[in-house]
Amino acid sequence: MTAQSQHRITHCIFDMDGLLINTETLYTEISSEILARYGKTYGFELKSKLMGLREKESAEILVRETGADMTPEEYLHERHLLQLERFPHCVPLPGVMRLIKHLKAHKIPIAVATSSYRKNFNLKATNNQHLFTLFDVIVCGDDPAIKNGKPNPDIFFVARDRLAEHFEQKEVDNSNCLVFEDSPIGVQAGVNASMKVLWVPDENISRLYPNLEGPTLRIDSLEEFDPVFFGLPPFDS
């Protein structure tokens, strides 16, 4: 990445699953196990359509497209039981702690904007308080202020407004916000919000979308992130 500053970012908004913590891997394992009981498989082409959606919508698509002999509600029930076992053991992905601590130290407003419902966020945060307590704002997918899920931009607007409120700012320009996303649907939501978007896809999703339009920049891991590119304070040497 070039170190030349091309943007002036003042606020950072982060997706969570597969971007901050390794829960997308857990989601894949859990859905694969459930579908295997019905003689079905769970591939990355289907997964890419579900990433970033709220749970009810994603369950409906999964059951419909796989033809599994279960209702979306039955799938969500089975999934929730496995999540109770595994989500408390999720961990931050490489480069995450360094970046979030850096932004916090430099007083850059930072928010989580996740399609996960609050109950699932709480499970994932159980053993990750050292990460999530650094954020100024946490917005979950079942927040009543969110009328429409991704790829609609609602969740990012809610996060932006709550950051502005937290820091007692009158307004925040969308073009000064940087969205960090791992899913194509999340990228589209960021673009629809007229914000800058950093795409950090899983390698399997990356292969499915080699030329995805929309992101301002694409990197393979947050370990590669150079804050100076977006006009943010440089990492300490």
Side-chain angles (χ1 to χ4, degrees):
M1 287 175 56
T2 177
Q4 182 181 1
S5 177
Q6 300 183 20
H7 310 282
R8 183 179 176 274
I9 295 302
T10 59
H11 295 65
C12 294
I13 304 174
F14 292 81
D15 177 50
M16 180 176 68
D17 296 302
L19 188 282
L20 294 175
I21 52 179
N22 68 333
T23 38
E24 280 299 348
T25 300
L26 300 179
Y27 274 119
T28 301
E29 294 173 359
I30 289 170
S31 293
S32 295
E33 287 182 27
I34 295 171
L35 287 172
R37 299 173 195 162
Y38 297 87
K40 306 296 181 179
T41 58
Y42 185 62
F44 280 95
E45 186 170 352
L46 173 57
K47 180 181 175 67
S48 70
K49 299 177 183 178
L50 308 182
M51 292 173 66
L53 298 179
R54 292 188 283 190
E55 63 176 37
K56 185 176 184 295
E57 185 179 2
S58 68
E60 290 171 349
I61 294 172
L62 180 140
V63 170
R64 182 174 67 247
E65 296 217 358
T66 62
D69 187 20
M70 60 178 166
T71 66
E73 291 74 21
E74 289 169 339
Y75 164 74
L76 288 173
H77 175 70
E78 290 191 44
R79 190 178 77 164
H80 182 62
L81 294 178
L82 292 172
Q83 289 171 346
L84 287 172
E85 298 174 7
R86 302 182 194 182
F87 278 171
H89 304 290
C90 65
V91 296
L93 287 164
V96 167
M97 291 306 304
R98 180 193 185 204
L99 174 57
I100 302 305
K101 286 181 177 179
H102 172 74
L103 296 174
K104 189 70 172 180
H106 288 275
K107 296 180 172 56
I108 303 297
I110 48 177
V112 171
T114 175
S115 295
S116 284
Y117 287 6
R118 179 64 65 168
K119 67 179 188 296
N120 283 335
F121 169 80
N122 290 338
L123 271 177
K124 297 164 188 176
T126 301
N127 295 314
N128 289 291
Q129 290 300 303
H130 61 298
L131 167 61
F132 291 111
T133 54
L134 296 173
F135 286 90
D136 303 300
V137 167
I138 306 284
V139 181
C140 293
D142 54 348
D143 191 301
I146 301 170
K147 303 306 179 186
N148 301 287
K150 300 175 185 177
N152 293 287
D154 301 30
I155 193 168
F156 295 134
F157 291 154
V158 172
R160 174 205 63 195
D161 292 346
R162 291 193 182 157
L163 283 174
E165 181 181 2
H166 180 81
F167 287 91
E168 298 182 344
Q169 299 165 329
K170 288 187 176 180
E171 61 181 34
V172 176
D173 193 309
N174 292 336
S175 65
N176 292 334
C177 295
L178 176 61
V179 168
F180 292 72
E181 268 285 356
D182 70 310
S183 73
I185 287 173
V187 168
Q188 188 59 54
V191 171
N192 290 340
S194 299
M195 296 177 178
K196 303 295 187 297
V197 182
L198 176 72
W199 189 32
V200 193
D202 170 88
E203 61 181 351
N204 295 290
I205 302 300
S206 183
R207 282 195 290 269
L208 287 174
Y209 297 89
N211 301 303
L212 183 71
E213 295 183 2
T216 310
L217 185 69
R218 170 179 177 165
I219 59 177
D220 294 327
S221 166
L222 283 179
E223 290 182 296
E224 301 174 9
F225 181 70
D226 181 359
V228 173
F229 181 87
F230 288 100
L232 293 163
F235 284 125
D236 297 330
S237 301

